[in-house]
Amino acid sequence: MNVFSDTAFDGHEQVVFASDPDTGLKSIIAVHNTNLGPSLGGCRMWPYATEQEAIHDVLRLSRGMTYKSALANLPLGGGKSVIIGDPRSQKTPQLFRAMGRAIEQVGGRYIVAEDVGTTPADMVQIASQTKHVGGINDGKDPARTGDPSPFTAYGVFMGLKEAVRFKNGHDDLGGLRVAVQGLGNVGYHLCRMLHKAGAQLVVADLNANNVNNAVTEFGATTVPADEILYADVDILAPCALGGVINDHSINKIRARIIAGAANNQLESDRHGDMLREADILYAPDYVINAGGVVEVYYCREGKPVTETNKHIEGIGATVREIFERAKQQNLSTGFVADRLAEERFGSKAKTVT
Ligand code: NAD
């Protein structure tokens, strides 16, 4: 079992393996970097096939949170946790209380939130054992439902508009054609904002109900799911899966801007260079999809949604800085984003004593 030599280790400050035989808890808490503040990141519950797979996933995701929070201008570092187990059959309140005790022992250097396989109810169990939990809705602000997706969509919308401004000299979306791949929690909210701003939508989803709703509500045009990436549009917004920008797809993409919510849209870094060479402006996913983590932070601080939204509007300035530097230096936007994040958090992690 490798930890220090895992390709995603990258100077993690702390990795904690926590187990509780009474509840069956097997978990890993990874704290990548706390230079800017305590690390924050979701707790993923997943039936990993091997322990190495769980280690790799938690390290990769934790490191990603350092970069995301730094570019979102949050006073937070990057961390993540995983529980090895099947969320459909192995969840108990006792398990999450044991997880809460494990998080408490990390002493506030890691703040947990929901992620794939965990729910607000699970966070409530964790919160019975530790105060280091983000994103629990106290119900005081009616504009706050506990769902981060509308905030993620708002950040993507801001980033997309900034990309249009950079390419076209203004950010008027009136009449522009936008292809949205995936009409789930984020994609559907994004469609609503784009429609309101006058964009023409071309959409696809594997779920026919989502597609029908977008046609009725936004007058969207539909294309089959395997054609959406290649639609004849100005902007492509991937809001479903990672890895969609790859050797197979890249030469067929007709959009001149790519700006969407999906994590890890580029299959590898070199696809960022290929987009630059093809003169396609790519808004790095982790920069523009940070609205959800901004909301988790503001919710935890007890600040109103109006402040969350104001902060999210700052995503536009960050992405503009990335576009400008990338153009000046003839580099891919993804590469520039990573270097800007490292400037902000100081790429050297602190050691735990
Ligand atoms: P979701 O599961 O609610 O929606 C995804 C949608 O994509 C589903 O409706 C699904 O049917 C559709 N889909 C899947 N494969 C497809 C395909 N091949 N073609 C067309 N549609 C397809 O997820 P979500 O919460 O909306 O998140 C969307 C993406 O954004 C994910 O990659 C997620 O990691 C990322 N993201 C989400 C948030 C958030 O706040 N929810 C935050 C940051 C990043």
Side-chain angles (χ1 to χ4, degrees):
M1 199 168 72
N2 300 325
V3 180
F4 295 107
S5 56
D6 189 285
T7 50
F9 181 72
D10 188 40
H12 263 74
E13 291 178 14
Q14 193 174 13
V15 183
V16 174
F17 292 79
S19 76
D20 180 61
D22 291 344
T23 61
L25 177 73
K26 273 193 194 171
S27 71
I28 312 169
I29 301 169
V31 176
H32 176 245
N33 188 291
T34 59
N35 287 358
L36 295 177
S39 70
L40 183 143
C43 172
R44 181 165 288 197
M45 184 166 183
W46 194 254
Y48 292 101
T50 64
E51 290 175 7
Q52 192 63 53
E53 205 183 283
I55 292 168
H56 182 70
D57 209 31
V58 76
L59 294 175
R60 179 182 70 84
L61 295 165
S62 151
R63 177 179 183 275
M65 287 307 296
T66 302
Y67 283 73
K68 181 178 275 202
S69 288
L71 286 187
N73 280 317
L74 291 169
L76 294 172
K80 202 89 182 183
S81 58
V82 295
I83 296 176
I84 302 173
D86 190 334
R88 289 167 304 182
S89 57
Q90 286 173 281
K91 273 189 181 184
T92 59
Q94 292 80 357
L95 178 93
F96 283 99
R97 288 204 284 274
M99 185 63 184
R101 290 192 291 280
I103 291 166
E104 177 64 16
Q105 283 179 1
V106 182
R109 293 169 42 77
Y110 170 64
I111 302 166
V112 68
E114 276 177 73
D115 200 80
V116 175
T118 59
T119 63
D122 302 331
M123 294 305 118
V124 170
Q125 293 300 333
I126 290 179
S128 70
Q129 307 295 314
T130 179
K131 64 177 191 302
H132 306 302
V133 187
I136 290 194
N137 183 15
D138 61 11
K140 286 185 192 149
D141 189 336
R144 181 165 271 146
T145 63
D147 175 11
S149 310
F151 300 96
T152 302
Y154 189 45
V156 172
F157 180 67
M158 286 294 139
L160 183 151
K161 281 214 315 181
E162 203 53 53
V164 171
R165 191 201 303 273
F166 193 76
K167 209 56 168 173
N168 297 351
H170 60 78
D171 68 358
D172 182 7
L173 301 182
L176 290 186
R177 286 165 59 81
V178 186
V180 181
Q181 181 192 40
L183 304 170
N185 291 319
V186 180
Y188 204 83
H189 284 291
L190 179 65
C191 282
R192 183 172 288 119
M193 294 171 200
L194 291 168
H195 174 65
K196 206 169 157 210
Q200 292 173 19
L201 296 172
V202 180
V203 301
D205 195 292
L206 302 180
N207 179 332
N209 281 341
N210 293 352
V211 174
N212 292 340
N213 290 343
V215 170
T216 311
E217 203 177 342
F218 313 126
T221 307
T222 68
V223 294
D226 57 0
E227 289 174 21
I228 187 75
L229 295 174
Y230 319 122
D232 184 11
V233 291
D234 303 289
I235 303 155
L236 170 64
C239 296
L241 313 164
V244 290
I245 314 297
N246 53 42
D247 287 341
H248 173 72
S249 66
I250 215 158
N251 293 325
K252 294 187 272 177
I253 292 172
R254 291 152 93 179
R256 297 289 93 197
I257 290 172
I258 300 177
N263 280 314
N264 305 315
Q265 288 165 37
L266 303 180
E267 194 177 80
S268 75
D269 290 348
R270 74 185 167 80
H271 295 109
D273 293 314
M274 287 170 75
L275 288 178
R276 178 180 57 79
E277 283 157 18
D279 198 26
I280 298 174
L281 183 61
Y282 171 63
D285 47 25
Y286 77 86
V287 182
I288 67 169
N289 74 13
V293 70
V294 173
E295 164 60 1
V296 169
Y297 172 75
Y298 276 82
C299 184
R300 181 174 157 76
E301 294 291 304
K303 293 184 178 164
V305 160
T306 45
E307 288 196 34
T308 304
N309 286 332
K310 214 166 132 203
H311 191 118
I312 290 173
E313 282 154 21
I315 286 176
T318 303
V319 87
R320 182 166 59 246
E321 184 175 350
I322 291 165
F323 292 154
E324 279 166 0
R325 282 199 196 190
K327 188 174 179 183
Q328 280 159 11
Q329 299 169 14
N330 210 15
L331 293 167
S332 75
T333 52
F335 181 87
V336 168
D338 287 353
R339 300 296 83 76
L340 184 60
E342 286 159 3
E343 278 172 28
R344 291 188 182 179
F345 71 79
S347 55
K348 211 166 155 38
K350 284 189 290 192
T351 11
V352 181
T353 49

Short mmCIF file of all heavy atoms in Angstrom, two decimals, residues 68 148-149 152 181-187 204-207 210 225 228 239-242 261-263 289 292, ligand 1:
data_model
loop_
_atom_site.label_atom_id
_atom_site.label_comp_id
_atom_site.label_asym_id
_atom_site.label_seq_id
_atom_site.Cartn_x
_atom_site.Cartn_y
_atom_site.Cartn_z
N LYS A 68 -8.79 24.70 -5.65
CA LYS A 68 -10.11 25.32 -5.85
C LYS A 68 -10.34 26.45 -4.85
O LYS A 68 -10.74 27.55 -5.22
CB LYS A 68 -11.21 24.25 -5.71
CG LYS A 68 -12.60 24.81 -5.92
CD LYS A 68 -13.67 23.74 -5.81
CE LYS A 68 -13.88 23.01 -7.09
NZ LYS A 68 -15.18 22.35 -7.22
N PRO A 148 -26.07 23.08 -2.77
CA PRO A 148 -25.08 24.02 -3.31
C PRO A 148 -25.19 24.22 -4.83
O PRO A 148 -24.58 25.14 -5.38
CB PRO A 148 -23.74 23.37 -2.96
CG PRO A 148 -24.04 21.92 -2.83
CD PRO A 148 -25.46 21.79 -2.40
N SER A 149 -25.98 23.36 -5.51
CA SER A 149 -25.97 23.38 -6.99
C SER A 149 -26.33 24.74 -7.62
O SER A 149 -25.68 25.14 -8.60
CB SER A 149 -26.92 22.32 -7.55
OG SER A 149 -26.68 21.11 -6.95
N THR A 152 -23.25 26.76 -7.52
CA THR A 152 -22.27 26.27 -8.50
C THR A 152 -22.65 26.80 -9.89
O THR A 152 -21.81 27.32 -10.63
CB THR A 152 -22.24 24.73 -8.51
OG1 THR A 152 -21.93 24.28 -7.20
CG2 THR A 152 -21.22 24.20 -9.49
N GLN A 181 -24.42 20.05 -21.85
CA GLN A 181 -24.39 18.58 -21.72
C GLN A 181 -24.69 18.23 -20.26
O GLN A 181 -23.90 18.49 -19.38
CB GLN A 181 -23.01 18.03 -22.09
CG GLN A 181 -22.95 16.51 -21.99
CD GLN A 181 -21.52 15.97 -22.07
OE1 GLN A 181 -20.59 16.54 -21.51
NE2 GLN A 181 -21.36 14.87 -22.79
N GLY A 182 -25.87 17.65 -20.02
CA GLY A 182 -26.23 17.27 -18.65
C GLY A 182 -27.13 18.32 -18.01
O GLY A 182 -26.72 19.46 -17.79
N LEU A 183 -28.38 17.90 -17.76
CA LEU A 183 -29.37 18.84 -17.19
C LEU A 183 -29.74 18.38 -15.79
O LEU A 183 -30.90 18.28 -15.43
CB LEU A 183 -30.61 18.87 -18.08
CG LEU A 183 -30.34 19.23 -19.54
CD1 LEU A 183 -31.58 18.99 -20.40
CD2 LEU A 183 -29.87 20.68 -19.66
N GLY A 184 -28.71 18.10 -14.98
CA GLY A 184 -28.93 17.68 -13.61
C GLY A 184 -29.03 18.89 -12.69
O GLY A 184 -29.50 19.97 -13.09
N ASN A 185 -28.57 18.72 -11.47
CA ASN A 185 -28.71 19.79 -10.48
C ASN A 185 -28.08 21.09 -10.96
O ASN A 185 -28.67 22.15 -10.83
CB ASN A 185 -28.05 19.36 -9.16
CG ASN A 185 -28.85 18.26 -8.50
OD1 ASN A 185 -30.07 18.29 -8.49
ND2 ASN A 185 -28.16 17.27 -7.97
N VAL A 186 -26.88 21.02 -11.49
CA VAL A 186 -26.20 22.25 -11.91
C VAL A 186 -26.65 22.68 -13.30
O VAL A 186 -27.00 23.85 -13.52
CB VAL A 186 -24.66 22.08 -11.88
CG1 VAL A 186 -23.98 23.38 -12.30
CG2 VAL A 186 -24.19 21.66 -10.50
N GLY A 187 -26.64 21.72 -14.25
CA GLY A 187 -26.93 22.05 -15.64
C GLY A 187 -28.28 22.72 -15.82
O GLY A 187 -28.42 23.68 -16.59
N ALA A 204 -28.77 18.20 -24.06
CA ALA A 204 -28.87 16.73 -24.09
C ALA A 204 -28.71 16.20 -22.67
O ALA A 204 -27.97 16.78 -21.86
CB ALA A 204 -27.78 16.14 -24.98
N ASP A 205 -29.43 15.13 -22.40
CA ASP A 205 -29.29 14.42 -21.13
C ASP A 205 -29.73 13.00 -21.37
O ASP A 205 -30.52 12.74 -22.29
CB ASP A 205 -30.16 15.09 -20.04
CG ASP A 205 -29.77 14.62 -18.64
OD1 ASP A 205 -29.99 13.44 -18.32
OD2 ASP A 205 -29.23 15.44 -17.88
N LEU A 206 -29.24 12.08 -20.57
CA LEU A 206 -29.67 10.69 -20.71
C LEU A 206 -31.08 10.51 -20.17
O LEU A 206 -31.78 9.56 -20.52
CB LEU A 206 -28.70 9.75 -19.97
CG LEU A 206 -27.24 9.84 -20.42
CD1 LEU A 206 -26.38 8.87 -19.63
CD2 LEU A 206 -27.12 9.55 -21.92
N ASN A 207 -31.48 11.45 -19.33
CA ASN A 207 -32.81 11.41 -18.71
C ASN A 207 -33.79 12.26 -19.55
O ASN A 207 -33.66 13.49 -19.61
CB ASN A 207 -32.67 11.95 -17.29
CG ASN A 207 -33.97 11.99 -16.54
OD1 ASN A 207 -35.04 12.11 -17.15
ND2 ASN A 207 -33.90 11.91 -15.24
N ASN A 210 -35.63 15.37 -18.03
CA ASN A 210 -34.85 16.61 -17.92
C ASN A 210 -34.87 17.36 -19.25
O ASN A 210 -35.01 18.59 -19.29
CB ASN A 210 -33.40 16.32 -17.54
CG ASN A 210 -33.26 15.75 -16.14
OD1 ASN A 210 -34.24 15.71 -15.40
ND2 ASN A 210 -32.07 15.32 -15.79
N ALA A 225 -27.55 12.53 -27.02
CA ALA A 225 -26.47 12.72 -26.04
C ALA A 225 -25.08 12.55 -26.66
O ALA A 225 -24.14 13.26 -26.28
CB ALA A 225 -26.65 11.75 -24.88
N ILE A 228 -23.95 16.05 -28.51
CA ILE A 228 -24.02 17.38 -27.89
C ILE A 228 -22.66 18.10 -27.89
O ILE A 228 -22.60 19.31 -28.08
CB ILE A 228 -24.60 17.30 -26.44
CG1 ILE A 228 -24.83 18.69 -25.83
CG2 ILE A 228 -23.73 16.46 -25.51
CD1 ILE A 228 -25.99 19.42 -26.36
N CYS A 239 -21.71 19.71 -18.34
CA CYS A 239 -22.23 19.69 -16.97
C CYS A 239 -22.64 18.28 -16.58
O CYS A 239 -23.61 18.08 -15.84
CB CYS A 239 -23.42 20.63 -16.83
SG CYS A 239 -23.02 22.36 -17.10
N ALA A 240 -21.91 17.29 -17.12
CA ALA A 240 -22.26 15.90 -16.79
C ALA A 240 -21.04 15.17 -16.25
O ALA A 240 -20.91 14.98 -15.05
CB ALA A 240 -22.85 15.19 -18.01
N LEU A 241 -20.14 14.82 -17.15
CA LEU A 241 -19.05 13.90 -16.81
C LEU A 241 -17.69 14.54 -16.99
O LEU A 241 -17.54 15.50 -17.74
CB LEU A 241 -19.09 12.70 -17.77
CG LEU A 241 -20.42 12.03 -18.01
CD1 LEU A 241 -20.32 11.16 -19.24
CD2 LEU A 241 -20.79 11.23 -16.77
N GLY A 242 -16.68 13.92 -16.36
CA GLY A 242 -15.30 14.34 -16.59
C GLY A 242 -14.76 13.69 -17.86
O GLY A 242 -15.40 12.80 -18.45
N ALA A 261 -19.65 23.03 -15.72
CA ALA A 261 -19.49 22.68 -14.30
C ALA A 261 -18.74 21.38 -14.06
O ALA A 261 -18.20 21.18 -12.98
CB ALA A 261 -20.87 22.54 -13.66
N ALA A 262 -18.76 20.47 -15.03
CA ALA A 262 -18.24 19.13 -14.76
C ALA A 262 -16.79 19.18 -14.29
O ALA A 262 -15.99 19.97 -14.80
CB ALA A 262 -18.35 18.27 -16.03
N ASN A 263 -16.47 18.35 -13.32
CA ASN A 263 -15.10 18.28 -12.81
C ASN A 263 -14.22 17.51 -13.79
O ASN A 263 -14.67 16.57 -14.44
CB ASN A 263 -15.08 17.54 -11.46
CG ASN A 263 -15.49 18.46 -10.33
OD1 ASN A 263 -15.02 19.59 -10.23
ND2 ASN A 263 -16.38 17.99 -9.48
N ASN A 289 -16.40 26.31 -11.22
CA ASN A 289 -17.44 25.53 -10.51
C ASN A 289 -17.28 25.59 -8.99
O ASN A 289 -17.79 24.74 -8.27
CB ASN A 289 -17.52 24.09 -11.04
CG ASN A 289 -16.35 23.21 -10.58
OD1 ASN A 289 -15.59 23.55 -9.69
ND2 ASN A 289 -16.22 22.05 -11.20
N GLY A 292 -20.25 26.30 -5.22
CA GLY A 292 -20.78 25.43 -4.16
C GLY A 292 -19.92 25.50 -2.90
O GLY A 292 -20.45 25.60 -1.78
P1 NAD B 1 -26.22 15.47 -11.55
O1 NAD B 1 -25.93 14.02 -11.32
O2 NAD B 1 -27.36 16.12 -10.82
O3 NAD B 1 -26.42 15.77 -13.10
C1 NAD B 1 -25.68 15.18 -14.11
C2 NAD B 1 -26.63 15.02 -15.30
O4 NAD B 1 -25.86 14.60 -16.43
C3 NAD B 1 -27.70 13.94 -15.08
O5 NAD B 1 -28.98 14.50 -15.37
C4 NAD B 1 -27.32 12.83 -16.06
O6 NAD B 1 -28.45 12.16 -16.58
C5 NAD B 1 -26.61 13.62 -17.13
N1 NAD B 1 -25.67 12.84 -17.93
C6 NAD B 1 -24.83 11.84 -17.54
N2 NAD B 1 -24.15 11.38 -18.58
C7 NAD B 1 -24.53 12.09 -19.65
C8 NAD B 1 -24.16 12.09 -21.02
N3 NAD B 1 -23.26 11.23 -21.50
N4 NAD B 1 -24.75 12.97 -21.85
C9 NAD B 1 -25.69 13.84 -21.38
N5 NAD B 1 -26.08 13.88 -20.10
C10 NAD B 1 -25.51 13.02 -19.25
O7 NAD B 1 -24.84 16.22 -11.19
P2 NAD B 1 -24.64 17.76 -10.86
O8 NAD B 1 -24.66 17.93 -9.37
O9 NAD B 1 -25.49 18.58 -11.72
O10 NAD B 1 -23.12 17.94 -11.30
C11 NAD B 1 -22.77 18.00 -12.68
C12 NAD B 1 -21.24 18.04 -12.81
O11 NAD B 1 -20.75 19.19 -12.12
C13 NAD B 1 -20.51 16.85 -12.18
O12 NAD B 1 -19.38 16.58 -12.96
C14 NAD B 1 -20.12 17.35 -10.82
O13 NAD B 1 -18.96 16.68 -10.34
C15 NAD B 1 -19.80 18.81 -11.13
N6 NAD B 1 -19.93 19.70 -9.96
C16 NAD B 1 -21.10 19.79 -9.29
C17 NAD B 1 -21.22 20.64 -8.21
C18 NAD B 1 -22.52 20.80 -7.45
O14 NAD B 1 -22.67 21.76 -6.70
N7 NAD B 1 -23.48 19.93 -7.65
C19 NAD B 1 -20.10 21.40 -7.80
C20 NAD B 1 -18.90 21.30 -8.52
C21 NAD B 1 -18.83 20.43 -9.60
#
